[in-house]
Amino acid sequence: MSVREFAERGADLELVGIQKRFPGFTAIEELDLTIPAGSFFALLGPSGCGKTTTLRLVAGLEEPTSGRILIGGRDVTGTKAHERPVNTVFQSYALFPHMSVLENVAFGLKRRRIGDALGRAHEALRLVELDHLAQRRPAQLSGGQQQRVALARAIVNRPALLLLDEPLGALDLKLRRQMQLELKTIQEEVGLTFLHVTHDQEEAMTMADTVAVMNKGAIEQMGAPAELYELPRTSFVANFLGQSNLFTGDVAGSTDAAISVDIAGARVTVPAARAQRHTGRVTVGVRPEKVTLLREAPAASSDHNVLGPGRVIDVSFSGVSTQYIVAIPGVGTVTVFAQNTGSGPVVGEGVEVWVSWPVEHGFGLDDVAEPAARFAADADTTSIAAQRREELVAELEED
Amino acid sequence: MAFAAFQTAEVVPQAPRKRSRIALFLLLPGLLYLVLFFVTPLISLLLTSLQQPAEFGDIGQYEYAFNWQNYVTVMSDYWPHIVRSFGYALAATVFALLFSYPLAYFIGVKARRWPMLQGLMLVLVIAPFFISFLLRTLAWKQLLSDESFIITSLKALSLMAPDAHFTGTPFAVIFGLTYNFIPFMTLPLYTTLERLDLRYLEAGSDLYANPFTVFRKVTIPLSMPGIVAGTLLTFIPAAGDYVNASRDFLGGPDTQMMGNVIEANFLVLLNYPAAAALSIILMAAILVLVGVYVKRSGTEDLL
């Protein structure tokens, strides 16, 4: 495929045994990944997990230590960035400060000698609703506008593969939704392959067909967003993608249909098909919105798990739902999201409650959760500062 | 970039009257200095350039007049020197730029990972300043004289004609000018290239530009402030230089520049009006050239 012409359709991306080492640390341990043509693929992970490095490898801005990269079946491992049918929307936008917005958008088209570069650039700017600012310099635009220009500059080239490096980070919620929709529309219309790198799980889940959760240079789990959310395989995925209540205990009994785990004296049953491990010490979990709060001890039932009694230690109202945190002796804390539909109990702090959830919503993990990391308070200033520092260090390392 | 949006925030005016008085007070020493050592000599120079020989006076005695013919006379007498000055200065500027850009790029971009190397190379660029400009130029005269090792070797290898000289030729003068002004070119280039955001270069190559095009379309425009500053710092003093082109250094009778002519008129011929007129012409020509250059290079908003 020549870079001289527009991609007719998206191309497959295949990463085979990719490893990337930098002096002093390994960014990517071992990565095998196939992204089918025309899909919207999100690489989700915390800062420093190697997702941006993966993106840069695909763009040709870094060379892998070992492994091969194939785009549309063609091995591009040895080719330079400008020879790859790939465009990137950079996290820093990287708009050329010495060119007008229009010149920025037309840059790629001119390099490929595609006719009517300016006309097409105007068209792309109209798409992101910035055509009226075509003659401005990037520095005269707001952060959100710059981001849209960066997007226009990439999609105007109709690349076989579009790489997005946290491209919607600086947008406000409304514009973000609008751009998400816009991106989705463009992707469906043209059938391009999108590889989206983000740490925003909501963005990944709403936009992508397939999400791969990355941690410490390797992919932890990959699948459709709903699948990942409903059935996380590791404690990292369970906590990074939404919230989870995780309980660790020994398997006390198992049948073909279900396993039951001993959690501080109580039995928690998980369908065998939803549990990764069936013997020994295991971690099981449930999503907070699947859990119901009860004022009275419920009757024992084989299709519900019950834990309690415990006390409500925190109630926070967020409009659509209310989040309760229940401390259960011997078990720890359980988070419950209750929809504010008017049904169900409304309780205050200190009230004695039981928590219950249907057996079919539980899941069993492949690893054992670290108890300390489970509900680490991440809202106090010291931990935010520590987290920020870690992010910065990770960023520096990535650079 | 993300912060660009905040840069247009309005500046809150703070008690303007009081502040302007303090500002004026702080400016006073500078203003006095300028009036005493720049404006006064400039007016004196302008007046001298219009003088005519005193009646029944000795050589070197002039009286005030409005003798604008001085300008016509020096223009017709010395136009080859004027053309030569700007030609040599231009050549030296181009050579210095060609030599300094890769050097500055290496120090400012490629050597970023090794601050020690960066520091060492910068010291090497500045090191010649520790020795007097005159001494260095004299040293080159020695090194490149007809009997020197370099020239005799070149002649022995038949790379130079047996009766050719190096010193006294235009090439030697341009060589000297280039050599002497290279640090003035390298340092401003280094300061802009050192801040060059490499992500723009990555964006360029992501948008199908090959390395040469990235250099032409992204690196060069982004380093324009350094190029303009460096070329001005080289061209302006080089055009008025009278050391390199002097017969005592690297020049000869056919390589005299405006600086040499001004020197001769002031100190040997005692023709003060001619020397002053030449000085004014030099100054005006540089001002016009620089103005056009800055305008054409479109760097007003980058500077």
Side-chain angles (χ1 to χ4, degrees), chain A residues 56 82 87-88 95-96 98, chain B residues 200 202 205-206 208-209 217 221:
Chain A
R56 289 174 60 82
H82 69 273
N87 283 111
T88 313
L95 298 176
F96 303 124
H98 58 289
Chain B
Y200 295 132
E202 287 184 346
S205 63
D206 185 68
Y208 313 103
K217 292 278 180 186

Side-chain angles (χ1 to χ4, degrees), chain A residues 56 61 81-82 84 86-88 90 92 94-99 107-108 111-112 137 139 146 153 157, chain B residues 1-2 4-5 199-211 213 216-218 221-222 301-302:
Chain A
R56 289 174 60 82
L61 301 171
H82 69 273
R84 296 190 186 187
V86 168
N87 283 111
T88 313
F90 292 92
S92 62
L95 298 176
F96 303 124
H98 58 289
M99 295 180 194
F107 189 90
R111 299 289 82 71
R112 294 199 294 170
R137 289 288 170 100
Q146 290 184 20
R153 188 174 71 168
N157 297 298
Chain B
M1 292 286 280
R199 288 180 296 193
Y200 295 132
L201 312 191
E202 287 184 346
S205 63
D206 185 68
L207 292 164
Y208 313 103
N210 59 37
T213 313
R216 203 164 49 90
K217 292 278 180 186
V218 184
L222 288 179
D301 53 338
L302 283 175

Side-chain angles (χ1 to χ4, degrees), chain B residues 82-99:
Chain B
I82 298 173
V83 172
R84 196 181 289 143
S85 277
F86 290 113
Y88 285 2
L90 185 69
T93 308
V94 170
F95 285 130
L97 182 63
L98 290 178
F99 184 85

Side-chain angles (χ1 to χ4, degrees), chain A residues 62 119 205:
Chain A
E62 303 276 358
M205 287 204 284

Side-chain angles (χ1 to χ4, degrees), chain B residues 132-206:
Chain B
S132 152
F133 169 61
L134 295 176
L135 273 179
R136 278 183 283 133
T137 315
L138 267 181
W140 276 116
K141 187 187 179 173
Q142 291 286 313
L143 284 169
L144 299 170
S145 67
D146 289 348
E147 307 79 35
S148 71
F149 175 72
I150 296 173
I151 300 297
T152 48
S153 309
L154 283 175
K155 284 180 179 168
L157 291 166
S158 301
L159 291 171
M160 261 176 92
D163 55 346
H165 307 282
F166 184 79
T167 48
T169 61
F171 186 73
V173 178
I174 293 168
F175 170 84
L177 288 171
T178 309
Y179 163 77
N180 277 311
F181 291 108
I182 268 179
F184 295 100
M185 183 67 93
T186 309
L187 291 178
L189 279 175
Y190 162 76
T191 45
T192 36
L193 286 171
E194 199 255 330
R195 283 175 307 178
L196 179 71
D197 191 339
L198 301 184
R199 288 180 296 193
Y200 295 132
L201 312 191
E202 287 184 346
S205 63
D206 185 68

Side-chain angles (χ1 to χ4, degrees), chain A residues 20-295:
Chain A
K20 177 66 184 172
R21 279 186 204 172
F22 291 105
F25 79 108
T26 306
I28 298 170
E29 292 287 356
E30 171 82 35
L31 191 65
D32 285 285
L33 187 64
T34 306
I35 299 175
S39 67
F40 198 127
F41 191 95
L43 213 49
L44 177 67
S47 304
C49 73
K51 58 188 195 305
T52 298
T53 308
T54 309
L55 196 93
R56 289 174 60 82
L57 287 168
V58 176
L61 301 171
E62 303 276 358
E63 272 178 50
T65 312
S66 66
R68 291 185 308 137
I69 299 166
L70 293 95
I71 296 173
R74 194 169 63 100
D75 193 329
V76 296
T77 319
T79 54
K80 297 267 179 280
H82 69 273
E83 296 161 336
R84 296 190 186 187
V86 168
N87 283 111
T88 313
V89 180
F90 292 92
Q91 192 176 7
S92 62
Y93 330 136
L95 298 176
F96 303 124
H98 58 289
M99 295 180 194
S100 71
V101 164
L102 186 68
E103 287 168 327
N104 261 287
V105 177
F107 189 90
L109 296 173
K110 283 187 179 163
R111 299 289 82 71
R112 294 199 294 170
R113 302 204 172 79
I114 282 170
D116 192 25
L118 292 183
R120 284 174 195 273
H122 274 299
E123 211 173 291
L125 282 171
R126 264 195 292 278
L127 191 67
V128 295
E129 293 171 21
L130 283 176
D131 200 31
H132 59 293
L133 301 178
Q135 300 310 326
R136 296 259 186 102
R137 289 288 170 100
Q140 294 167 300
L141 304 185
S142 74
Q145 289 170 332
Q146 290 184 20
Q147 222 159 24
R148 281 145 75 197
V149 175
L151 209 56
R153 188 174 71 168
I155 56 178
V156 75
N157 297 298
R158 293 287 146 102
L161 180 61
L162 184 70
L163 308 177
L164 303 151
D165 191 358
E166 313 238 1
L168 307 177
L171 303 185
D172 60 55
L173 195 66
K174 188 166 159 267
L175 205 55
R176 196 186 176 94
R177 287 263 177 276
Q178 213 176 316
M179 287 312 294
Q180 284 180 351
L181 204 68
E182 208 71 80
L183 273 178
K184 226 20 206 166
T185 314
I186 293 164
Q187 195 250 345
E188 274 156 16
E189 258 173 29
V190 195
L192 302 180
T193 314
F194 278 40
L195 173 55
H196 185 178
V197 154
T198 180
H199 68 267
D200 182 337
Q201 41 118 350
E202 199 196 325
E203 192 174 297
M205 287 204 284
T206 49
M207 296 174 76
D209 313 322
T210 313
V211 176
V213 180
M214 222 177 157
N215 185 29
K216 292 177 186 151
I219 289 178
E220 291 245 342
Q221 194 179 350
M222 194 167 102
E227 190 187 316
L228 280 190
Y229 187 79
E230 294 300 336
L231 195 53
R233 241 191 342 245
T234 65
S235 56
F236 178 80
V237 176
N239 279 324
F240 192 76
L241 208 66
Q243 285 187 42
S244 292
N245 292 306
L246 299 181
F247 315 103
T248 303
D250 293 316
V251 174
S254 71
T255 66
D256 285 345
I259 59 163
S260 62
V261 184
D262 178 71
I263 309 290
R267 283 292 173 93
V268 170
T269 312
V270 175
R274 290 173 61 87
Q276 304 296 325
R277 294 199 305 187
H278 295 172
T279 51
R281 199 165 173 77
V282 297
T283 295
V284 295
V286 65
R287 295 293 187 181
E289 71 278 8
K290 305 283 190 334
V291 182
T292 330
L293 217 55
L294 301 166
R295 297 289 299 271

